[in-house]
Amino acid sequence: MSSSIDQCLDNPSPGADSSGLTSLGGAEERAPSSLLDGVFDQYRCQPASASNPREPAPRALGAEQQRRPQIVKQKRKSTASEESISPVKKARRVSSGYAPPSKYAHVDNKLTDSLAPNLICLFIGLNPGIRTATTGHAYNHPSNLFWKLLYRSSCTPRLCRAEEDGNMPKLYNLGLTNIVSRPTKDGGELSKAEMDAGVADLEAKIALQRPEAVAIVGKSIWESIWRVRHGSNMKKGQFKYGWQDDTERMGAVTTGEAPWPGSRLFVATTTSGLAAGMRLHEKEQIWKELGDWVAIRRAERNDKEAAPNI
């Protein structure tokens, strides 16, 4: 395609020659060479590049342009706010807050205690979840770690299923109950008042069945028992997992013909899958202390039962 760019000074237009003489009205005048050189440098056509015949080759810089400082365009740096945009974090599940009994009045709670006299250990949970209540089997939600921790700690010699909860006293001398009987979606829907009200019932059950030890499944349960016993909240530094002081035994009987010192008290971690803040191996370490003791006591009982009567 023809254009003015294709017209090179090697083929001068009429009225001009290569010597820089310009014809104007028949008269010939010689323009200053420096002026013509500047005009020629500005409009001089460049030869086509080898790679693209239509694209002019890069033009060499003149002496004046070579002396000029070259301006290098730099990529704009992003601002601190643009560089430090943090990804959206997954929101943690927040408890729904207190829910009155009427909210779950429609739930048919089929869960019952698994109790028997002279158990090795009685486990005290918080309250049944919706699935546990409707199926009638303790710790029956797939995310709950109770049965897994029971096995990994050696409280049971094998992994049991939630459907076996009613046979735990007969199979392994273990019992199950809760501080609150009404079901909720999560423990945060219970009030402290109703938890505290359940402590007296626990003491009565323990005094009646007289297990060797009681295992509290969760910090909040122990805090509730503490409030009722001591008349105040637990102070910082007073809480600890594991075996509690001997003065904290539960279900002690001090009157009648058969006084009893009460059950030893062990505080274990919660097994709820909704609870955060502690990893599985950390929970296993706490539960292992209880499990080792349970396994020893079961072996001692078995040996005593197997020994011949003399």
Side-chain angles (χ1 to χ4, degrees):
M1 181 176 66
S2 302
S3 65
S4 60
I5 297 178
D6 296 326
Q7 302 292 329
C8 296
L9 293 179
D10 294 333
N11 299 313
S13 59
D17 59 23
S18 59
S19 63
L21 297 177
T22 305
S23 299
L24 182 58
E28 292 184 356
E29 296 180 356
R30 189 175 187 86
S33 60
S34 59
L35 178 60
L36 291 176
D37 289 341
V39 173
F40 288 172
D41 286 340
Q42 185 176 357
Y43 294 99
R44 190 186 305 276
C45 294
Q46 304 299 322
S49 64
S51 60
N52 188 353
R54 296 183 179 274
E55 181 182 352
R59 180 160 53 92
L61 296 175
E64 182 66 22
Q65 291 173 311
Q66 290 179 2
R67 288 193 296 269
R68 294 175 184 173
Q70 299 298 312
I71 300 175
V72 180
K73 292 184 178 181
Q74 296 182 353
K75 185 178 179 181
R76 183 181 68 87
K77 293 183 178 181
S78 58
T79 63
S81 59
E82 292 172 339
E83 291 179 347
S84 61
I85 296 177
S86 58
V88 178
K89 296 182 179 180
K90 184 178 179 181
R92 292 179 62 183
R93 188 181 187 278
V94 180
S95 175
S96 53
Y98 174 74
S102 58
K103 181 175 181 179
Y104 299 106
H106 63 282
V107 177
D108 182 15
N109 187 8
K110 301 176 182 178
L111 184 68
T112 58
D113 292 339
S114 298
L115 299 173
N118 195 30
L119 295 168
I120 294 176
C121 187
L122 173 62
F123 292 89
I124 301 176
L126 184 56
N127 75 310
I130 303 302
R131 176 165 177 160
T132 291
T134 55
T135 60
H137 297 296
Y139 306 97
N140 199 20
H141 196 279
S143 67
N144 198 291
L145 302 172
F146 179 79
W147 301 103
K148 181 182 292 186
L149 287 170
L150 214 62
Y151 168 59
R152 291 190 179 184
S153 66
S154 300
C155 284
T156 57
R158 63 176 177 84
L159 180 60
C160 299
R161 295 174 292 109
E163 291 77 13
E164 298 179 271
D165 58 348
N167 293 325
M168 296 306 291
K170 181 179 179 180
L171 291 173
Y172 303 117
N173 283 304
L174 303 177
L176 305 170
T177 189
N178 290 309
I179 190 172
V180 177
S181 60
R182 78 175 180 98
T184 58
K185 187 177 181 180
D186 61 64
E189 295 181 319
L190 299 174
S191 68
K192 290 183 178 181
E194 63 185 320
M195 290 177 62
D196 293 355
V199 174
D201 290 338
L202 287 178
E203 294 277 8
K205 291 178 184 178
I206 296 168
L208 179 63
Q209 304 297 339
R210 300 192 176 190
E212 288 189 44
V214 167
I216 307 298
V217 186
K219 179 181 178 180
S220 63
I221 305 171
W222 176 225
E223 289 174 334
S224 183
I225 296 172
W226 180 281
R227 279 195 302 271
V228 173
R229 288 186 164 190
H230 299 275
S232 62
N233 291 325
M234 191 176 294
K235 296 180 181 179
K236 185 177 180 180
Q238 289 182 314
F239 174 81
K240 65 177 181 178
Y241 287 110
W243 293 109
Q244 304 301 306
D245 296 340
D246 203 54
T247 56
E248 299 294 348
R249 286 174 173 261
M250 293 191 69
V253 178
T254 58
T255 60
E257 297 179 358
W260 181 60
S263 301
R264 296 184 64 190
L265 185 62
F266 187 96
V267 177
T269 68
T270 179
T271 61
S272 173
L274 301 177
M278 189 175 291
R279 297 179 180 179
L280 178 58
H281 75 274
E282 295 173 324
K283 293 183 178 182
E284 289 177 342
Q285 290 177 355
I286 295 172
W287 277 76
K288 190 72 170 94
E289 183 181 3
L290 173 66
D292 288 343
W293 177 84
V294 170
I296 291 173
R297 290 298 298 125
R298 185 182 297 116
E300 290 174 348
R301 285 193 181 194
N302 291 338
D303 291 343
K304 185 176 181 180
E305 292 175 358
N309 294 325
I310 299 176

